mmCIF file of all heavy atoms in Angstrom:
data_model
loop_
_atom_site.group_PDB
_atom_site.id
_atom_site.type_symbol
_atom_site.label_atom_id
_atom_site.label_comp_id
_atom_site.label_asym_id
_atom_site.label_seq_id
_atom_site.Cartn_x
_atom_site.Cartn_y
_atom_site.Cartn_z
ATOM 1 N N PRO A 1578 -0.412 -24.377 0.598
ATOM 2 C CA PRO A 1578 -0.676 -25.758 1.054
ATOM 3 C C PRO A 1578 -1.064 -25.830 2.530
ATOM 4 O O PRO A 1578 -1.778 -26.746 2.947
ATOM 5 C CB PRO A 1578 0.642 -26.477 0.785
ATOM 6 C CG PRO A 1578 1.679 -25.408 0.709
ATOM 7 C CD PRO A 1578 0.983 -24.207 0.156
ATOM 8 N N VAL A 1579 -0.584 -24.865 3.300
ATOM 9 C CA VAL A 1579 -0.955 -24.838 4.722
ATOM 10 C C VAL A 1579 -2.459 -24.604 4.850
ATOM 11 O O VAL A 1579 -3.160 -25.315 5.578
ATOM 12 C CB VAL A 1579 -0.170 -23.722 5.458
ATOM 13 C CG1 VAL A 1579 -0.681 -23.563 6.888
ATOM 14 C CG2 VAL A 1579 1.315 -24.036 5.463
ATOM 15 N N LEU A 1580 -2.972 -23.603 4.124
ATOM 16 C CA LEU A 1580 -4.406 -23.326 4.173
ATOM 17 C C LEU A 1580 -5.219 -24.492 3.637
ATOM 18 O O LEU A 1580 -6.301 -24.795 4.138
ATOM 19 C CB LEU A 1580 -4.735 -22.068 3.364
ATOM 20 C CG LEU A 1580 -4.466 -20.705 3.998
ATOM 21 C CD1 LEU A 1580 -5.160 -19.624 3.193
ATOM 22 C CD2 LEU A 1580 -4.961 -20.663 5.431
ATOM 23 N N ALA A 1581 -4.702 -25.120 2.588
ATOM 24 C CA ALA A 1581 -5.421 -26.236 1.980
ATOM 25 C C ALA A 1581 -5.635 -27.370 2.982
ATOM 26 O O ALA A 1581 -6.605 -28.124 2.895
ATOM 27 C CB ALA A 1581 -4.669 -26.743 0.751
ATOM 28 N N ALA A 1582 -4.727 -27.453 3.963
ATOM 29 C CA ALA A 1582 -4.850 -28.497 4.994
ATOM 30 C C ALA A 1582 -5.827 -28.080 6.098
ATOM 31 O O ALA A 1582 -6.118 -28.875 6.997
ATOM 32 C CB ALA A 1582 -3.482 -28.787 5.602
ATOM 33 N N SER A 1583 -6.334 -26.870 6.014
ATOM 34 C CA SER A 1583 -7.339 -26.335 6.959
ATOM 35 C C SER A 1583 -6.948 -26.489 8.426
ATOM 36 O O SER A 1583 -7.695 -27.061 9.223
ATOM 37 C CB SER A 1583 -8.697 -27.004 6.716
ATOM 38 O OG SER A 1583 -9.149 -26.744 5.415
ATOM 39 N N PRO A 1584 -5.789 -25.957 8.794
ATOM 40 C CA PRO A 1584 -5.422 -26.040 10.216
ATOM 41 C C PRO A 1584 -6.159 -24.978 11.028
ATOM 42 O O PRO A 1584 -6.755 -24.049 10.481
ATOM 43 C CB PRO A 1584 -3.927 -25.723 10.190
ATOM 44 C CG PRO A 1584 -3.801 -24.744 9.058
ATOM 45 C CD PRO A 1584 -4.794 -25.209 8.013
ATOM 46 N N ARG A 1585 -6.094 -25.127 12.337
ATOM 47 C CA ARG A 1585 -6.583 -24.070 13.219
ATOM 48 C C ARG A 1585 -5.572 -22.926 13.111
ATOM 49 O O ARG A 1585 -4.384 -23.106 13.362
ATOM 50 C CB ARG A 1585 -6.680 -24.596 14.649
ATOM 51 C CG ARG A 1585 -7.318 -23.630 15.626
ATOM 52 C CD ARG A 1585 -7.525 -24.280 16.982
ATOM 53 N NE ARG A 1585 -8.538 -25.324 16.925
ATOM 54 C CZ ARG A 1585 -8.952 -26.013 17.992
ATOM 55 N NH1 ARG A 1585 -8.398 -25.774 19.177
ATOM 56 N NH2 ARG A 1585 -9.872 -26.931 17.882
ATOM 57 N N THR A 1586 -6.055 -21.749 12.735
ATOM 58 C CA THR A 1586 -5.156 -20.654 12.387
ATOM 59 C C THR A 1586 -5.363 -19.450 13.297
ATOM 60 O O THR A 1586 -6.499 -19.062 13.573
ATOM 61 C CB THR A 1586 -5.393 -20.217 10.915
ATOM 62 O OG1 THR A 1586 -5.198 -21.345 10.065
ATOM 63 C CG2 THR A 1586 -4.435 -19.116 10.513
ATOM 64 N N VAL A 1587 -4.254 -18.858 13.734
ATOM 65 C CA VAL A 1587 -4.301 -17.617 14.505
ATOM 66 C C VAL A 1587 -3.669 -16.519 13.668
ATOM 67 O O VAL A 1587 -2.560 -16.669 13.155
ATOM 68 C CB VAL A 1587 -3.554 -17.753 15.850
ATOM 69 C CG1 VAL A 1587 -3.435 -16.382 16.540
ATOM 70 C CG2 VAL A 1587 -4.276 -18.734 16.756
ATOM 71 N N VAL A 1588 -4.406 -15.434 13.517
ATOM 72 C CA VAL A 1588 -3.905 -14.258 12.792
ATOM 73 C C VAL A 1588 -3.591 -13.191 13.827
ATOM 74 O O VAL A 1588 -4.451 -12.833 14.635
ATOM 75 C CB VAL A 1588 -4.948 -13.731 11.788
ATOM 76 C CG1 VAL A 1588 -4.404 -12.506 11.046
ATOM 77 C CG2 VAL A 1588 -5.341 -14.827 10.806
ATOM 78 N N VAL A 1589 -2.370 -12.684 13.814
ATOM 79 C CA VAL A 1589 -1.975 -11.626 14.742
ATOM 80 C C VAL A 1589 -2.076 -10.295 14.014
ATOM 81 O O VAL A 1589 -1.326 -10.030 13.081
ATOM 82 C CB VAL A 1589 -0.545 -11.845 15.277
ATOM 83 C CG1 VAL A 1589 -0.189 -10.746 16.284
ATOM 84 C CG2 VAL A 1589 -0.415 -13.218 15.912
#
Side-chain angles (χ1 to χ4, degrees):
V1579 173
L1580 281 194
S1583 299
R1585 186 173 292 183
T1586 303
V1587 171
V1588 180
V1589 182

